[in-house]
């Protein structure tokens, strides 16, 4: 059974990696990706070199799944020319001319090597080179001697006309090749993007932090069959594996939980060299988090974000207002955004949502009351809730939230000094989770029995963000795992960057 | 009175609407349908070997045909005066019926005896006939299908599309924004699927049941993609095409247009949105209909494929729910109204003689592309 190669030791390793990562406090607030070479003019397009190769990814149950991935083979490469799942996140700017040069270095054990390609839903793409395919031009593995074109190389060119979140994926037998791993994210930043004051779509879409949630799934049976028999074999095509699909692994940014909560990049360890991206959202109260959610493969994964609603502001890279969206009411510009706590994540669709959290409505002081006798042995942080100005404008009148630069920015002052509403049981009577820091208060820690806690070293509030198709919280039937991560709300005393 | 039924599963241009409209006095329009035994041969299949048993709605010819004619979805019904009567001849050995989610049927349900298996009054097995009447039709794109044991009769093929326009060339009433729901051309995309195991054994519960439903063929307008498939005519550059999506399958499908302009989705389940939404794909749940305006600017074949990847046909790849939307210039269009035998005469050829469309087609930009 190849799924059991590493099981327990690997799992422990990953949880340890999560711990180290959090202790180091080295998260990046931006989305990992590559921005190509070139200035983006038609004469000097932003250029990416992608090459399709085969390798194997790891799953957190100790499994290993053969996959086909896009490798960044630009000079210098971002991930040592390795194929990766998902493919490199391409980050460009609105208005730039973008060029992706695709080559095909698939080497199969058996069966004819297929052509590969890329399609870019939402973009108007010109494809040159390669050979004609059903949806776009495709790259063979070899150039045909004596023909003027290079059949082994396709160039896709488009102008990134609109900002937003998009994806790219294989346009060659997508039901097989996207499943095999040929997919990735494309992010188009608005023209004149300023990383110090970022927006998703220009004014009105400001955010403080952004995270990518590229959700996908796999049926390892398909991968094993392709590996053993080839992609056209009756062992695959005469079953219902592709027509009546049944997934068994679920990924966020290409990793199953808890691997997705480990470090990004090579520091995640040698088992995740082909899965360089992680998924661990962290934020301070009051910050605006931009969630870029992509339905990557072929199934819906209702993405449930605990902690608060999120406001969906765009879909398929278009703002949900009629400023760009509607011809129906000239001169009007209604806001068509809406709030949800579950994002459908429809296959192929992208969603941008703004998530905020302040603790408003909990009806107790999230930073704790320092003289609460219940917590005499682990007293929470003494703090004031100072509210003189509106946090958005910086001037009076006050808005009900702690001001920037005070003890607790964005604390909901109406709940300040409200006691914790229940008596906690004695610690001997409690069962702990790894994310409990010993104190129910933001930014505070408390004593824990030996061996408990540790995944939340800053005393943040952690909320599970996950697929609400609950079976997807597993790795090949083993709970917990799959499509889940933790949002960590960190106290303002914790430096996230 | 009896109307001619449009046999096209897809409607290239609006012309057909108005051919019906012009001759139509304002009485309830009557469509004559029959529920019959048919069969469907998958692409690449061997005749007399690989046919899949189907039931279908066809235009009634006054008697039951011999079983075994090729299956298609039922004829597209286009009632134009706000009411609809269907006379149904049942040529099957089981009771059938017709329902239209989103439209209100008239008549009093008959008391049923025995186990209820229908959402509406049934027509008894052959040789019975039944009458189904709807009045006060809502504008929009809808699906008609058997309301009897639909978990079996719908997969067997008893379904079709019904289109109700607010006015010729105008999908919905829109008092606020005038011509916002007007269109020049339309393309109907009806999604469904076939499970051979269920269909080939519809009379017993021994082998294939809804419980084990596992479709192998994924159809748009009754056909899976099969290169070189005929593209779906979808209008001409510079004009507005209304894409009518309908899903009578049992799974959700996500049609996505590649390389074309975004769609402006204007309606769902036959109800217009207050404002359009720009999307390159739609999420089409079972039973769902959606309407989208699409403004192609160049000629070409634009792939529209199911992004939930039902892109196989049986054991073949490059099949399933893929279609090509064909955008091409209308004949040798020169923009005048002369009837000279070769030029397209817009009002006459597209909207029917004497019919003024809601959208002024001459304000559109054909010029640089099509001349």
């Amino acid at each position: 059974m190849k799924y059991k190669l590493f099981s327990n030791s690997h799992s422990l390793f990953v949880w340890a990696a999560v711990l180290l990562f959090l202790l180091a406090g080295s998260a990046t607030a931006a989305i990992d990706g590559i921005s190509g070479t070139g200035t983006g003019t038609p004469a000097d397009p932003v250029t990416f070199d992608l090459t399709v190769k085969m390798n194997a990814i790891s799953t957190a149950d100790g499994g290993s799944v053969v996959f086909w991935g896009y490798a960044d083979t630009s000079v210098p490469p971002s991930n040592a020319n390795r194929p990766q799942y998902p493919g490199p996140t391409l980050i460009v700017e609105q208005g730039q001319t973008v060029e992706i040069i695709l080559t095909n270095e698939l080497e199969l054990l058996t069966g004819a090597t297929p052509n590969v390609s890329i399609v870019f839903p939402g973009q108007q793409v010109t494809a040159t080179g390669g050979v004609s395919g059903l949806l776009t031009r495709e790259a063979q593995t070899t150039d045909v001697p004596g023909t003027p074109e290079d059949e082994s190389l396709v160039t896709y060119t488009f102008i990134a006309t609109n900002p937003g979140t998009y994806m790219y994926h294989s346009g060659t037998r997508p039901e097989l090749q996207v499943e095999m791993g040929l997919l990735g994210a494309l992010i188009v930043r608005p023209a004149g993007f300023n990383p110090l004051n970022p927006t998703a779509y220009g004014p009105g879409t400001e955010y403080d932090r952004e995270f990518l949630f590229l959700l996908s799934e796999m049926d390892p049976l398909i991968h094993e069959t392709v590996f053993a028999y080839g992609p056209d074999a009756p062992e695959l095509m005469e079953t219902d594996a592709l027509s009546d699909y049944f997934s068994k692994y679920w990924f966020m940014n290409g990793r199953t939980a808890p691997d997705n909560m480990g470090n990004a990049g090579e520091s995640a360890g040698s088992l995740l060299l082909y899965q360089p991206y992680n998924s661990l959202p962290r934020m301070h109260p009051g910050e605006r988090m931009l969630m870029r959610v992509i339905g990557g493969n072929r199934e819906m994964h209702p993405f449930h974000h605990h902690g608060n609603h999120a406001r969906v502001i765009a879909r398929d890279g278009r703002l949900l207002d009629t400023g760009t969206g509607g011809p129906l009411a000239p001169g009007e510009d209604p806001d068509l955004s809406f709030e949800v706590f579950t994002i459908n994540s429809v296959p192929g669709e992208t969603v941008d949502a703004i998530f905020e959290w302040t603790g408003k409505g909990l009806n107790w002081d999230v930073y704790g009351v320092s003289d609460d006798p219940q917590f005499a042995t682990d007293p929470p942080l003494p703090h004031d809730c100072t509210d003189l100005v509106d946090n958005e404008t910086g001037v009076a009148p006050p808005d009900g939230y702690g001001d920037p630069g005070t003890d607790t920015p964005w604390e909901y002052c109406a709940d300040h000094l409200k006691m914790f509403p229940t008596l906690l049981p004695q610690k001997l009577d409690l069962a702990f989770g790894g994310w409990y820091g010993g104190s129910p208060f933001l930014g505070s820690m408390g004593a824990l029995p030996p061996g408990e806690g540790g995944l939340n070293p800053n005393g943040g509030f952690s909320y599970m963000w996950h697929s609400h198709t609950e079976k997807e919280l597993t790795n090949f039937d083993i709970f917990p795992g799959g499509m889940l991560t933790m949002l960590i709300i960190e106290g303002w005393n914790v430096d996230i960057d | 009175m009896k109307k001619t039924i449009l046999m096209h599963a897809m409607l290239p241009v609006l012309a057909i609407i108005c051919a019906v409209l012009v001759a139509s006095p304002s009485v309830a329009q009557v469509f004559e349908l029959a529920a019959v035994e048919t069969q469907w041969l998958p692409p690449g299949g061997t005749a007399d070997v690989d046919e899949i048993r189907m039931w279908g709605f066809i235009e009634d010819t006054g008697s039951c045909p011999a079983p075994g004619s090729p299956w298609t979805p039922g004829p597209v019904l286009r009632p134009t005066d706000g009411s609809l009567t269907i006379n149904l001849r049942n040529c099957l050995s089981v009771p059938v019926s017709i329902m239209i989610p989103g439209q209100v049927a008239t008549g009093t349900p008959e008391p049923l005896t025995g186990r209820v298996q229908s959402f509406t009054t049934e027509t008894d097995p052959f040789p019975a006939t039944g009458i189904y009447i709807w009045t006060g039709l809502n504008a929009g794109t809808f699906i008609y299908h058997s309301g009897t044991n639909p978990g079996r009769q719908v997969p067997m093929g008893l379904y079709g599309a019904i289109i109700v326009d607010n006015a010729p060339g105008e999908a919905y009433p829109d008092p606020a924004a005038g011509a916002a729901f007007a269109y020049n051309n339309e393309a109907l995309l009806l999604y469904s699927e076939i499970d051979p195991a269920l269909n080939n054994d519809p009379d017993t519960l021994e082998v294939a049941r809804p419980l084990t439903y596992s479709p192998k063929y994924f159809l748009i307008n009754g056909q899976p993609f099969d290169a070189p498939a005929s593209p779906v005519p979808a209008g001409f550059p510079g004009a507005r095409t209304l894409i009518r999506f309908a899903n009578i399958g049992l799974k959700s499908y996500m049609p996505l247009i590649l390389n074309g302009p975004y769609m402006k989705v204007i309606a769902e389940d036959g109800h217009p949105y207050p404002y359009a939404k720009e999307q390159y794909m739609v999420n089409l749940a079972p039973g769902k209909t959606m309407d989208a305006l699409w403004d192609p600017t160049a000629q070409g074949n634009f792939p529209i494929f199911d992004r939930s990847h039902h892109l196989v046909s049986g054991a073949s790849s490059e099949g399933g729910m893929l279609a090509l939307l064909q955008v091409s210039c209308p004949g040798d269009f020169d923009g005048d109204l002369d009837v000279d035998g070769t030029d397209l005469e817009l009002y006459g050829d597209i909207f029917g003689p004497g019919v003024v469309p809601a959208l002024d087609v001459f304000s559109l930009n054909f010029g640089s592309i099509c001349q």
Side-chain angles (χ1 to χ4, degrees):
Chain A
M1 274 302 289
K2 61 188 302 185
Y3 298 114
K4 299 298 176 195
L5 285 178
F6 310 106
S7 57
N8 290 332
S9 58
H10 178 44
S11 184
L12 282 175
F13 162 80
V14 171
W15 290 107
V18 170
L19 175 58
L20 286 171
F21 161 68
L22 284 167
L23 287 170
S26 62
T28 53
I31 292 173
D32 293 322
I34 58 177
S35 294
T37 58
T39 59
T41 63
D44 183 24
V46 170
T47 302
F48 301 92
D49 288 291
L50 299 183
T51 303
V52 173
K53 305 179 186 183
M54 184 174 80
N55 214 296
I57 58 168
S58 289
T59 52
D61 57 339
S64 173
V65 183
V66 167
F67 84 114
W68 302 347
Y70 295 111
D72 172 22
T73 45
S74 309
V75 179
S78 59
N79 191 28
N81 293 311
R82 297 182 190 110
Q84 60 180 67
Y85 186 68
T89 298
L90 312 180
I91 303 176
V92 301
E93 194 168 308
Q94 181 186 11
Q96 288 181 329
T97 299
V98 182
E99 184 177 275
I100 292 95
I101 300 171
L102 177 71
T103 48
N104 183 351
E105 292 184 6
L106 273 181
E107 290 182 31
L108 305 189
L109 282 189
T110 179
T113 306
N115 295 347
V116 296
S117 64
I118 313 180
V119 292
F120 300 84
Q123 315 297 336
Q124 307 265 348
V125 179
T126 303
T128 58
V131 296
S132 176
L134 200 52
L135 298 182
T136 186
R137 298 194 72 81
E138 305 177 337
Q140 299 182 165
T141 49
T142 52
D143 184 19
V144 179
T147 57
E149 285 199 319
D150 185 348
E151 286 81 1
S152 70
L153 189 148
V154 187
T155 301
Y156 303 98
T157 308
F158 62 90
I159 298 171
T161 53
N162 292 64
T165 304
Y166 304 92
M167 76 172 302
Y168 65 92
H169 60 84
S170 174
T172 307
R173 291 183 69 188
E175 75 282 3
L176 179 69
Q177 295 200 357
V178 178
E179 163 70 21
M180 291 303 290
L182 294 177
L183 74 165
L186 166 68
I187 292 172
V188 181
R189 304 224 178 271
F193 180 74
N194 176 3
L196 298 178
N197 185 21
T199 73
Y201 289 87
T205 59
E206 290 82 5
Y207 62 87
D208 298 295
R209 302 177 188 282
E210 62 172 345
F211 291 92
L212 177 67
F213 301 94
L214 175 53
L215 309 179
S216 62
E217 72 283 344
M218 280 186 182
D219 174 4
L221 184 66
I222 294 174
H223 296 244
E224 291 200 329
T225 307
V226 168
F227 187 66
Y229 299 102
D232 303 304
E235 285 81 357
L236 176 70
M237 297 309 297
E238 291 179 6
T239 70
D240 60 5
L242 296 173
S243 62
D244 203 4
Y245 182 74
F246 194 86
S247 54
K248 301 174 186 76
Y249 283 117
W250 298 276
F251 301 83
M252 302 179 72
N253 297 341
R255 295 185 188 175
T256 58
D259 290 355
N260 56 337
M261 289 175 271
N263 261 344
E266 290 203 4
S267 55
S270 60
L271 289 173
L272 296 171
L273 292 177
Y274 304 94
Q275 298 147 278
Y277 300 143
N278 67 352
S279 178
L280 185 65
R282 298 169 74 202
M283 64 187 290
H284 291 126
E287 291 184 333
R288 290 162 62 89
M289 178 198 292
L290 173 64
M291 306 166 62
R292 297 182 185 268
V293 183
I294 300 176
N297 194 10
R298 60 187 290 180
E299 292 187 321
M300 287 209 270
H301 305 287
F303 183 43
H304 181 51
H305 39 280
H306 282 254
N308 208 350
H309 288 63
R311 178 164 290 278
V312 176
I313 61 166
R315 217 162 36 187
D316 292 352
R318 293 294 183 275
L319 269 183
L320 284 166
D321 71 7
T322 55
T324 57
L328 298 185
E332 294 183 26
D333 189 13
D335 180 2
L336 303 184
S337 68
F338 55 93
E339 285 192 326
V340 294
F341 58 64
T342 301
I343 292 173
N344 284 348
S345 85
V346 176
E349 184 181 270
T350 70
V351 161
D352 295 303
I354 297 286
F355 179 89
E356 296 176 277
W357 190 98
T358 63
K360 177 183 178 181
L362 286 176
N363 204 32
W364 46 280
D365 188 331
V366 293
Y367 291 92
V369 179
S370 55
D371 56 357
D372 186 338
Q374 186 185 178
F375 302 100
T377 54
D378 291 320
L381 300 170
H383 65 284
D384 294 321
C385 197
T386 308
D387 178 24
L388 303 175
V389 301
D390 184 318
N391 288 3
E392 299 288 354
T393 63
V395 296
D399 59 359
Y401 294 96
D403 294 338
T406 62
D407 286 351
T408 52
W410 286 102
E411 181 185 357
Y412 183 58
C413 287
D415 286 347
H416 185 58
L417 294 181
K418 283 189 182 172
M419 290 286 189
F420 194 64
T422 187
L423 282 178
L424 282 181
Q426 295 298 305
K427 284 180 176 166
L428 278 175
D429 298 326
L430 282 173
F432 299 95
W435 273 273
Y436 186 54
S439 164
F441 303 119
L442 199 55
S444 291
M445 303 290 286
L448 284 171
E452 299 291 354
L455 294 174
N456 183 7
N458 303 314
F461 285 171
S462 50
Y463 293 94
M464 189 192 289
W465 282 17
H466 63 104
S467 168
H468 227 301
T469 300
E470 305 284 355
K471 75 168 187 177
E472 299 178 355
L473 305 183
T474 58
N475 296 321
F476 211 99
D477 232 7
I478 298 171
F479 175 89
M483 196 172 282
L484 78 86
T485 187
M486 290 286 176
L487 164 72
I488 313 286
I489 308 281
E490 301 282 19
W492 280 96
N493 52 330
V494 177
D495 180 11
I496 295 179
D497 303 310
Chain B
M1 64 174 292
K2 181 174 170 179
K3 300 304 303 176
T4 300
I5 292 173
L6 312 173
M7 294 303 292
H8 303 261
M10 55 196 98
L11 292 169
V13 279
L14 209 49
I16 345 185
I17 307 180
C18 303
V20 174
L21 176 78
V22 171
S24 170
S26 62
V27 296
Q29 286 173 292
V30 181
F31 294 83
E32 308 282 349
L33 297 184
V36 299
E37 278 272 358
T38 62
Q39 57 186 10
W40 184 75
L41 182 64
T46 305
D48 300 325
V49 176
D50 294 324
E51 279 87 355
I52 297 169
R53 187 181 175 195
M54 305 290 294
W55 295 341
F57 289 124
I58 64 169
E59 183 176 9
D60 184 27
T61 56
S63 61
C64 286
S69 58
W71 173 86
T72 63
V76 177
L77 308 182
R78 288 202 90 124
T80 54
D81 67 356
S83 65
L84 167 66
T85 296
I86 295 177
N87 291 331
L88 177 64
R89 179 184 306 279
N90 190 357
C91 301
L92 301 174
S93 59
V94 296
V96 297
S97 59
I98 294 185
M99 61 181 290
I100 307 175
Q103 304 287 6
V104 181
T106 63
T108 309
E110 293 173 14
L112 293 162
T113 56
R115 183 174 171 179
V116 174
Q117 61 162 3
S118 178
F119 292 123
T120 186
T121 305
E122 294 185 319
T123 299
D124 288 338
F126 175 81
T129 57
I131 301 175
Y132 298 84
I133 299 170
W134 294 262
T135 57
L137 292 177
N138 299 308
T141 306
F142 300 91
I143 297 167
Y144 67 93
H145 62 83
S146 174
T148 299
N149 196 357
R152 302 178 64 77
Q153 295 200 355
V154 168
M156 286 300 292
L158 288 172
Y159 49 78
I162 168 171
I163 293 172
V164 182
D165 270 314
N166 182 56
E170 185 177 79
Y172 293 94
D174 183 31
F181 294 125
Y183 60 92
N184 306 107
N185 305 289
E186 69 177 1
L188 171 68
L189 301 173
L190 176 65
Y191 290 75
S192 63
E193 76 258 334
I194 296 174
D195 175 7
L198 184 143
N199 282 31
N200 284 333
D201 191 13
D203 292 329
T204 76
L205 293 176
E206 297 301 318
V207 181
R209 295 175 288 168
L211 189 63
T212 54
Y213 187 66
S214 178
K216 299 290 183 290
Y217 297 97
F218 303 93
L219 319 177
I220 299 176
N221 296 336
Q223 284 294 327
F225 185 80
D226 179 29
S230 306
V232 177
F236 29 89
R240 172 159 285 179
T241 299
L242 175 65
I243 305 177
R244 299 180 181 270
F245 295 99
N247 180 9
I248 188 60
L250 274 62
K251 295 185 166 196
S252 290
Y253 300 108
M254 292 90 185
L256 184 154
I257 297 184
L258 270 186
N259 255 4
Y262 273 55
M263 296 178 279
K264 297 182 177 73
V265 184
I266 59 166
E268 187 172 334
D269 294 340
H271 284 261
Y273 292 154
Y275 300 97
K277 295 172 183 171
E278 267 194 312
Q279 297 167 214
Y280 55 68
M281 59 178 292
V282 294
N283 180 8
L284 212 54
K288 176 75 66 185
T289 72
M290 297 184 91
D291 296 316
L293 300 175
W294 192 58
D295 298 330
T297 57
Q299 297 194 77
N301 286 340
F302 296 86
I304 182 164
F305 70 100
D306 170 34
R307 189 51 182 76
S308 61
H309 289 166
H310 295 91
L311 300 171
V312 294
S313 284
S316 304
S317 59
E318 299 203 332
M321 287 175 169
L322 163 66
L324 301 174
L325 296 177
Q326 182 183 52
V327 177
S328 57
C329 290
D332 95 23
F333 172 74
D334 67 5
D336 65 34
L337 285 171
D338 298 336
V339 182
D340 60 13
T342 56
D343 288 350
L344 185 77
E345 201 239 281
L346 280 178
Y347 286 177
D349 290 357
I350 297 180
F351 294 97
V355 176
V356 178
L359 183 66
D360 177 8
V361 288
F362 291 108
S363 66
L364 299 167
N365 175 30
F366 302 110
S368 56
I369 306 162
C370 287
Q371 289 184 31

